[in-house]
Amino acid sequence: MSIAIVIGTRPEIIKMAPVIRECQRRGLDYFLLHTGQHYSYEMDRVFFEQLELPPAEFNLDVGSGTHADQTGRIMTGIEKVLMRAMPDLVLVQGDTNTVLAGALAASKLHIKIGHVEAGLRSYDRSMPEEINRVVADHISDYLFAPTENSKLNLINEGIPEEKISVTGNTIVDSVYQNRLIADRKVNVLRDLGLRPRDYFLVTAHRAENVDNSSRLKEILKGLHLIKSEFGLPVLFPMHPRTRKMVHEFGFELDGIMDIDPLGFLQFLQLEANAKIALTDSGGVQEEACILGVPCVTLRDNTERPETLDVKSNILAGANAEKMLMGAKQMIGCANHWRNPFGDGQASKRIVDSIRND
Ligand code: UD1
Ligand code: UDP
């Protein structure tokens, strides 16, 4: 069986890395197709270097654009590659435009699709990611749901149970595989002059937050409130989208330690040692939960309700007062929750289930 593994953005590279490694380990016939949705060194190549991934056989170099433009160009590029290579299976991961385009292009060529991280739902159709994941799930042949809850979401939408496997989330594999490597290879706290459990770690990049001036302003206000309440550094490795919008809106960041996005090893180390994480990222909500670090999510909903259930996470929206209250509440919480995202063997289960079919 030949497999095309499609990736395009930072989280897809990080979460697909253990699947790629598992395919390598078993000597499977696979190739990597990178759409080039992310392309800056710190959003792309750094992860290939740090996670020691082979270079992609194909890179479509699509870059940025409006949704239709980007998705359309990815579809056209993927179709060309798939028509030539005609793999038996296309694997996509997550909920980006790369996933939507990859799944659509494959389905029109009647190539089977495996969706890694299937069944997540925010039930908020204003998010582009929700549209992407719903469409990808409904045209996939193999649905790799990270949790029982995500499986239930799929069943409730009428997807046949025999297509679904609960595998755990491959982010656990990635965290377990890289946590110790990070401590051997990097010392980012020393480099940034930070002490363990003595700083707040922030990320924000969701379109609905950072492209909206009042929401972004409120998030920055919340970070300033938290900084003055606790008198601790607030570190914000800033996604390029956010950097662009802060500049466009003319907002000041004074007092917040804004830096460029970091490699996975550095970021993982910073997450593991943070007092709490404040984020609108899906992956960061999961990683904080896995690492035992409390999280305040800068959104009104989450497609990771497992984190709310185990109480590793609370929702603060883009509301400065709620962010401060959330930080106060989460700092005091005991972090003995159960990790709901699996045992770090998700990639093995995914490859097993493809191979056994
Ligand atoms: C995309 C995904 C989002 C995911 C995120 C991970 C969609 C609809 N969105 O959002 O679900 O959580 O990736 O980070 O697929 N840019 C750069 N360099 C890059 C990439 C982007 O400078 O390497 C800048 C460009 O100005 C670009 C903007 O960031 O216009 C947004 O990039 P885009 O890929 O469209 O969306 P993300 O916000 O990254
Ligand atoms: N990440 C990273 N460097 C950073 C910020 C995040 O390596 O400076 C990693 C983080 O560990 C997680 C992933 O990027 O695995 C999350 O990606 P992002 O927040 O861009 O997307 P989302 O998960 O929301 O789709």
Side-chain angles (χ1 to χ4, degrees):
M1 169 190 268
S2 66
I3 306 167
I5 300 183
V6 176
I7 50 176
T9 66
R10 167 167 79 182
E12 291 164 83
I13 303 168
I14 293 169
K15 289 178 168 177
M16 214 50 130
V19 178
I20 297 168
R21 236 191 303 280
E22 191 58 23
C23 290
Q24 275 180 323
R25 201 178 66 80
R26 299 191 195 192
L28 301 186
D29 177 15
Y30 80 96
F31 65 89
L32 266 189
L33 197 174
H34 194 324
T35 64
Q37 179 172 345
H38 283 179
Y39 45 86
S40 302
Y41 172 80
E42 64 277 8
M43 299 299 286
D44 174 23
R45 236 189 44 231
V46 66
F47 303 109
F48 280 79
E49 290 171 5
Q50 292 196 340
L51 303 174
E52 298 181 13
L53 296 173
E57 274 81 355
F58 303 93
N59 194 322
L60 306 177
D61 285 322
V62 295
S64 309
T66 63
H67 284 279
D69 174 52
Q70 189 179 55
T71 308
R73 282 185 294 117
I74 300 175
M75 274 187 79
T76 312
I78 291 189
E79 185 181 57
K80 281 202 185 94
V81 174
L82 294 182
M83 280 172 80
R84 227 176 328 136
M86 270 304 186
D88 301 301
L89 175 73
V90 169
L91 277 184
V92 293
Q93 192 289 326
D95 53 21
T96 65
N97 287 345
T98 288
V99 172
L100 174 66
L104 276 174
S107 80
K108 302 273 176 165
L109 291 170
H110 308 293
I111 299 172
K112 289 209 177 329
I113 305 162
H115 186 199
V116 177
E117 205 179 64
L120 274 63
R121 294 291 181 270
S122 64
Y123 297 103
D124 175 359
R125 291 271 171 115
S126 68
M127 295 178 69
E129 291 84 1
E130 183 78 352
I131 309 292
N132 294 347
R133 48 174 104 91
V134 169
V135 175
D137 282 339
H138 282 261
I139 58 178
S140 286
D141 303 280
Y142 299 88
L143 293 107
F144 301 114
T147 66
E148 289 294 338
N149 178 69
S150 36
K151 175 177 175 178
L152 197 60
N153 291 339
L154 295 168
I155 303 252
N156 288 341
E157 289 177 17
I159 292 180
E161 190 166 4
E162 58 272 18
K163 287 187 175 182
I164 310 168
S165 336
V166 176
T167 57
N169 195 310
T170 58
I171 194 62
V172 183
D173 309 24
S174 249
V175 168
Y176 289 179
Q177 287 169 15
N178 290 290
R179 180 70 194 92
L180 295 178
I181 297 177
D183 281 346
R184 266 206 315 277
K185 290 198 173 169
V186 300
N187 192 342
V188 66
L189 273 74
R190 181 199 56 205
D191 297 346
L192 293 170
L194 297 168
R195 287 190 306 269
R197 307 272 165 239
D198 229 18
Y199 60 91
F200 295 94
L201 180 65
V202 182
T203 80
H205 73 280
R206 294 253 90 82
E208 63 270 22
N209 276 340
V210 306
D211 291 6
N212 176 321
S213 69
S214 50
R215 283 183 79 92
L216 182 55
K217 191 173 183 179
E218 193 68 16
I219 288 173
L220 295 177
K221 183 174 161 198
L223 297 180
H224 282 116
L225 282 181
I226 289 169
K227 186 177 174 343
S228 44
E229 172 78 19
F230 297 97
L232 294 177
V234 174
L235 180 70
F236 193 162
M238 204 170 271
H239 190 290
R241 177 182 207 120
T242 313
R243 171 84 60 204
K244 186 174 74 179
M245 296 318 292
V246 165
H247 182 74
E248 243 177 79
F249 294 139
F251 293 154
E252 293 298 330
L253 293 166
D254 41 5
I256 293 167
M257 284 176 74
D258 65 300
I259 56 172
D260 284 341
L262 293 161
F264 186 55
L265 298 182
Q266 286 86 350
F267 192 77
L268 201 52
Q269 197 168 58
L270 281 166
E271 268 180 313
N273 289 289
K275 198 161 192 75
I276 60 172
L278 297 115
T279 192
D280 63 11
S281 156
V284 177
Q285 290 174 65
E286 291 159 353
E287 287 163 354
C289 180
I290 296 161
L291 292 163
V293 173
C295 185
V296 174
T297 290
L298 311 176
R299 287 177 47 190
D300 303 314
N301 54 50
T302 179
E303 58 291 305
R304 275 92 176 166
E306 297 86 353
T307 59
L308 304 178
D309 295 342
V310 301
K311 300 192 166 42
S312 68
N313 188 15
I314 54 166
L315 299 177
N319 178 307
E321 286 300 332
K322 276 197 189 166
M323 284 168 63
L324 178 60
M325 271 165 28
K328 285 184 182 165
Q329 183 183 330
M330 292 313 278
I331 277 173
C333 81
N335 60 347
H336 306 308
W337 54 76
R338 175 187 62 85
N339 159 24
F341 294 113
D343 57 1
Q345 305 294 315
S347 48
K348 288 200 176 67
R349 286 190 196 97
I350 289 166
V351 177
D352 280 346
S353 104
I354 296 165
R355 298 283 293 162
N356 292 337
D357 205 56

